[in-house]
Amino acid sequence: MSQQGTAVRDADQHAADAVVAHHAEMRERLAELVAHLLLAAERDDEPGVWRTRADLVAWIDDELMPHAQAEETTLYSAAVVTPEGNLLVEAMLDEHRAIGALAQELEGAAVAIQAAATARALEALFAVHLAKENDLIIPLLLRTPDVSLAHLLHGMRQVLGEPDEPGDRT
């Protein structure tokens, strides 16, 4: 393999690793928020439930949904054109819609138990969804000859979790 080919493969692997690492960060943050909400509900701390729910909804709006949208325009649009990726992407898009529906249900929850149950369902679905992205979509794209993850994801902070500018780590 040429040096240029090796450099492209290294860059693609770096991009894949960045996506997987960002997924781990997102999963940890969601787990933390859900645990806080569950604890507040368990303690009958109504103000704590609604405060944590507001934090969770804000995180979903600011991080999770933009991430999902960015994946659809980058990773999914590249994977859907492969024969083995077509049905997988359709299923992943269905999961994005289900995640969005759970987010709306969480935002509209009127009682603590509903908020806690919905948050936990969202966390479980998100974990399964990330596993598919990490274990199926990313490897599929890495082995697709006409796809460069590094090129596809260049500047995509929402997918890579990298700051837009030095020092920006939101």
Side-chain angles (χ1 to χ4, degrees):
M1 178 175 287
S2 72
Q3 283 184 336
Q4 183 180 15
T6 301
V8 168
R9 284 178 47 121
D10 289 349
D12 287 347
Q13 187 60 57
H14 175 74
D17 293 344
V19 170
V20 171
H22 185 54
H23 283 165
E25 291 170 3
M26 292 178 73
R27 186 172 179 190
E28 287 174 26
R29 180 64 179 144
L30 178 58
E32 176 185 317
L33 288 165
V34 170
H36 288 190
L37 195 147
L38 294 174
L39 183 61
E42 182 180 309
R43 292 181 174 169
D44 291 325
D45 174 8
E46 289 282 325
V49 167
W50 305 124
R51 187 174 44 252
T52 305
R53 184 201 50 183
D55 291 345
L56 180 52
V57 167
W59 180 82
I60 291 167
D61 290 345
D62 295 344
E63 294 293 328
L64 179 57
M65 297 315 289
H67 177 86
Q69 190 119 41
E71 286 176 336
E72 290 176 13
T73 61
T74 56
L75 301 177
Y76 294 7
S77 65
V80 75
V81 298
T82 67
E84 61 268 49
N86 188 25
L87 290 177
L88 176 59
V89 167
E90 289 303 315
M92 302 300 280
L93 291 170
D94 285 344
E95 289 177 4
H96 278 185
R97 285 187 283 278
I99 288 167
L102 284 170
Q104 287 181 337
E105 185 178 329
L106 176 66
E107 189 169 12
V111 294
I113 189 87
Q114 181 186 12
T118 303
R120 184 59 193 106
L122 177 68
E123 180 185 20
L125 176 56
F126 189 60
V128 170
H129 183 75
L130 288 183
K132 289 178 194 170
E133 287 178 348
N134 293 345
D135 299 340
L136 300 172
I137 296 281
I138 298 295
L140 169 66
L141 294 175
L142 283 174
R143 67 177 183 265
T144 301
D146 296 339
V147 173
S148 166
L149 274 179
H151 179 71
L152 188 66
L153 298 176
H154 179 73
M156 294 298 298
R157 189 206 73 76
Q158 296 90 346
V159 177
L160 298 170
E162 295 174 348
D164 291 325
E165 298 180 24
D168 177 16
R169 192 65 178 161
T170 58

